[in-house]
Amino acid sequence: MGLKLSVWLYGVAAGSPASTSESSAFPPLAVPASSRLAVTLHSCPVSPRDSRSHWSATYCSPHFLLSACREEVTRTPVEQSSDGVRAEIGVKTGLHLWEVLWNPTHRGSHAVMGISSQNCPLHTLGYNALVGGDSQSWGWELKTNQLWHGGQSLGMYPGERKRCHSKGEEFIKSQSLTSTQTQTSSEKPGSPLPVPERVVLVLDADAGTLGYIVDGCFLGIAFQDLPRGVELFPAVSSVRGGATIRLRYLNGATRDPPALMALCGLAIQQFLGQQRQNQTDKLPLPPVLQHYLLPTL
């Protein structure tokens, strides 16, 4: 059966063009995901009503209104105020993915998403990058593409990072992109890229890293050397009235290596590509395995 499958895959590969995104600027900036992350991304998401998708009603600026389902917050129109909210449930271990939906037309300046500890401030006067504005939070400002931690801008993401010091700790940002990498025709080197509505946070609490997925592309590690054994929460901050931000917990994994069956399924899915991922019924496999290989996210 394995030989038949290999023959079928290689026989159809030549006539199937690779899947590309013509409108997104992010695919050229993608970096390879670890097998652990790749398997998690291809795993079935948890229920949309999972409690890990809830914003906190307690740890929330008074200028954010919480929806009845607790998965959505809306900032009220208040001037000279920076407001934040974090998730109700945090994590101390494991690899975890959260989807954040935030309409680009409702962001304004200082629209930041990232993670925080339990003690991150969630309100301050003036217009600031609140998430990333202290030593207890790490954030990506979506309009300027700047990374923030400890009240300092650490450079653009994705892109070259610089060293920074915060409370005696050194956070060395990954160099996921060099200045010689390909730029899209509509973007100049060093200019911020427009971030779409959907962004996925990738927190590896075991490794102490935070990264982001945009347009299906993992952009690499944005922050590393995050505190271990400390409960960390998805968090956002905004200064724009009417900004509505939705949170959904997608999936997670322990530090154990992925199962062999999951790795084999991932290899077949990657070989098929996006354009053929719904054609598993054509594979020379039993129906139960064909169903197992269907895309989940």
Side-chain angles (χ1 to χ4, degrees):
M1 182 178 294
L3 179 59
K4 288 183 179 179
L5 178 60
S6 298
V7 171
W8 187 91
L9 287 172
Y10 283 98
V12 299
S16 300
S19 175
T20 58
S21 176
E22 297 179 358
S23 59
S24 174
F26 290 97
L29 310 179
V31 302
S34 67
S35 60
R36 186 165 167 244
L37 174 56
V39 167
T40 305
L41 284 168
H42 284 78
S43 300
C44 237
V46 302
S47 166
R49 301 304 178 189
D50 190 279
S51 59
R52 289 168 291 185
S53 298
H54 293 169
W55 292 115
S56 173
T58 303
Y59 295 92
C60 177
S61 167
H63 299 146
F64 268 118
L65 302 178
L66 189 63
S67 67
C69 67
R70 300 167 66 182
E71 297 172 3
E72 191 173 272
V73 289
T74 301
R75 185 183 179 275
T76 57
V78 180
E79 294 184 355
Q80 293 298 319
S81 176
S82 299
D83 303 285
V85 59
R86 68 163 174 80
E88 184 176 60
I89 299 176
V91 298
K92 291 184 178 180
T93 61
L95 172 69
H96 301 273
L97 309 177
W98 290 269
E99 174 190 73
V100 180
L101 298 180
W102 193 345
N103 191 318
T105 62
H106 294 163
R107 288 178 185 162
S109 65
H110 303 90
V112 191
M113 68 171 62
I115 61 169
S116 74
S117 71
Q118 192 166 1
N119 299 318
C120 170
L122 297 172
H123 172 69
T124 188
L125 297 177
Y127 299 136
N128 303 285
L130 193 56
V131 174
D134 71 337
S135 63
Q136 301 298 311
S137 59
W138 298 258
W140 185 30
E141 207 287 297
L142 302 179
K143 184 175 182 179
T144 63
N145 293 173
Q146 296 288 320
L147 293 177
W148 285 86
H149 174 65
Q152 301 180 57
S153 171
L154 309 179
M156 296 183 70
Y157 173 86
E160 282 192 310
R161 303 289 167 258
K162 66 181 181 180
R163 296 171 182 261
C164 73
H165 297 267
S166 174
K167 302 260 184 197
E169 292 183 327
E170 184 178 37
F171 292 82
I172 307 174
K173 304 299 168 273
S174 65
Q175 294 185 347
S176 60
L177 171 68
T178 66
S179 59
T180 58
Q181 280 185 294
T182 303
Q183 300 286 334
T184 62
S185 58
S186 60
E187 300 293 338
K188 296 180 180 179
S191 64
L193 300 174
V195 179
E197 179 179 30
R198 181 181 188 265
V199 177
V200 176
L201 304 179
V202 181
L203 173 61
D204 190 336
D206 299 323
T209 62
L210 174 66
Y212 299 84
I213 295 174
V214 179
D215 284 337
C217 305
F218 178 55
L219 302 180
I221 294 174
F223 299 97
Q224 60 184 22
D225 297 329
L226 302 179
R228 313 286 179 87
V230 175
E231 194 169 15
L232 298 173
F233 305 80
V236 296
S237 63
S238 174
V239 301
R240 189 188 190 281
T244 297
I245 309 159
R246 192 170 186 87
L247 179 70
R248 183 189 174 189
Y249 181 79
L250 295 177
N251 216 327
T254 66
R255 66 170 61 201
D256 297 329
L260 179 59
M261 183 175 179
L263 291 172
C264 293
L266 174 64
I268 295 173
Q269 289 171 334
Q270 290 177 335
F271 197 99
L272 289 174
Q274 284 189 338
Q275 293 184 346
R276 292 183 291 141
Q277 61 184 205
N278 290 313
Q279 301 179 18
T280 58
D281 59 316
K282 298 180 180 179
L283 294 171
L285 294 172
V288 64
L289 292 181
Q290 292 176 355
H291 184 269
Y292 174 78
L293 292 170
L294 286 173
T296 55
L297 290 181

